[in-house]
Amino acid sequence: MRASQEYQAHVLRFAIDRFRRQKFAHCGGVLVSQFGDGFPAISAAIVDHARRPKRAYRAVADAFAPLFLTIDLPEDQAAVDGLLLRLPRGRLQHLRIVCVNDDPSRHGRARLRWRIERERAHETSPWREVRGWFAKRRFRGHDWITIPDQLDPAAVIAEPAVRLHADGVYRVTAELEVAGQPIAHMEHRFLVGDPPRGQRLSAGRSDRLAQRAVEPLVEARR
């Protein structure tokens, strides 16, 4: 149950994030079609029949924040790996931090702080570990930006260019501050490099494993 709820939370946040980045371009709004269950059921609702929020409830609430920060990864260079995108190692990547504002009270200047750090490493060579460690100090920045107006489309407010040499799970965070107080926060994870060795399968071996999984079903049907 937990895995299915986490998957639902990820999918809804991913969809809302993607549509909000297209504000006024290809999308005029986002609507969650099923909010609550009317009776005990397995459904796509984000609140159950007893009005207890599922995991997707918080994800949807965060994704609908009036002042919203998100990250646009270079998907043309990425591969899908589970629920995350996997970027190639050692290649210069241009990440775009995007701001969407639907709050009429928010405008003017704000301070943006962003940071990219590796959370967890895969198996890698000592040389790549050393290069990744020295590169960490380049994976942060701050700047003054202008908050887009409520009637403006989504705006790219920063475009960090980074070269990630170490394999693993990375986290990018960004925060907007006004008068020293945070007004918006973003956190996103992605992968870099090759999958761990245990996850790598050759095409031939993958086909053989798939065939072995199907054989018992064929025998049962006979």
Side-chain angles (χ1 to χ4, degrees):
M1 183 176 70
R2 177 173 181 173
S4 64
Q5 287 194 12
E6 288 179 349
Y7 179 75
Q8 179 195 24
H10 173 84
V11 169
L12 286 176
R13 183 179 177 88
F14 176 86
I16 296 169
D17 178 293
R18 181 62 60 90
F19 286 132
R20 293 198 69 184
R21 274 188 267 159
Q22 299 176 10
K23 178 182 176 181
F24 298 150
H26 305 289
C27 179
V30 184
L31 175 67
V32 177
S33 63
Q34 189 171 355
F35 179 79
D37 286 327
F39 49 85
I42 299 174
S43 73
I46 60 177
V47 175
D48 70 12
H49 71 287
R51 296 303 178 259
R52 292 172 299 195
K54 301 179 184 179
R55 285 177 170 81
Y57 179 87
R58 176 46 52 193
V60 168
D62 291 343
F64 275 127
L67 184 61
F68 182 63
L69 291 179
T70 183
I71 186 80
D72 190 5
L73 297 175
E75 296 181 1
D76 57 329
Q77 301 181 26
V80 178
D81 189 334
L83 300 180
L84 301 178
L85 288 180
R86 182 178 294 279
L87 299 178
R89 177 200 326 111
R91 188 178 301 176
L92 186 65
Q93 305 288 350
H94 294 271
L95 315 182
R96 304 196 308 166
I97 299 175
V98 180
C99 180
V100 185
N101 183 23
D102 292 318
D103 186 347
S105 67
R106 293 295 185 188
H107 51 81
R109 302 280 284 173
R111 189 175 184 87
L112 170 69
R113 300 181 186 273
W114 61 267
R115 180 186 180 95
I116 301 172
E117 57 187 344
R118 190 176 59 168
E119 280 192 330
R120 190 169 65 253
H122 299 327
E123 294 181 21
T124 187
S125 67
W127 171 238
R128 285 182 183 154
E129 286 289 336
V130 171
R131 292 182 67 183
W133 186 85
F134 278 107
K136 280 185 179 180
R137 58 187 175 185
R138 296 199 297 267
F139 301 156
R140 67 184 69 181
H142 56 86
D143 199 1
W144 288 96
I145 63 100
T146 299
I147 300 173
D149 188 75
Q150 178 195 14
L151 300 179
D152 291 337
V156 177
I157 57 175
E159 194 169 357
V162 297
R163 196 183 300 273
L164 304 170
H165 294 286
D167 292 5
V169 181
Y170 283 77
R171 178 178 63 179
V172 54
T173 57
E175 189 172 72
L176 281 181
E177 296 178 356
V178 172
Q181 298 297 319
I183 60 172
H185 177 81
M186 178 271 293
E187 182 175 300
H188 189 87
R189 287 171 175 80
F190 60 94
L191 305 169
V192 169
D194 299 324
R197 292 180 181 177
Q199 295 181 9
R200 302 177 196 172
L201 290 176
S202 65
R205 186 183 177 194
S206 177
D207 292 342
R208 288 195 298 272
L209 291 177
Q211 181 63 30
R212 290 177 186 173
V214 171
E215 285 173 358
L217 298 178
V218 175
E219 290 296 329
R221 288 171 184 168
R222 291 176 182 173

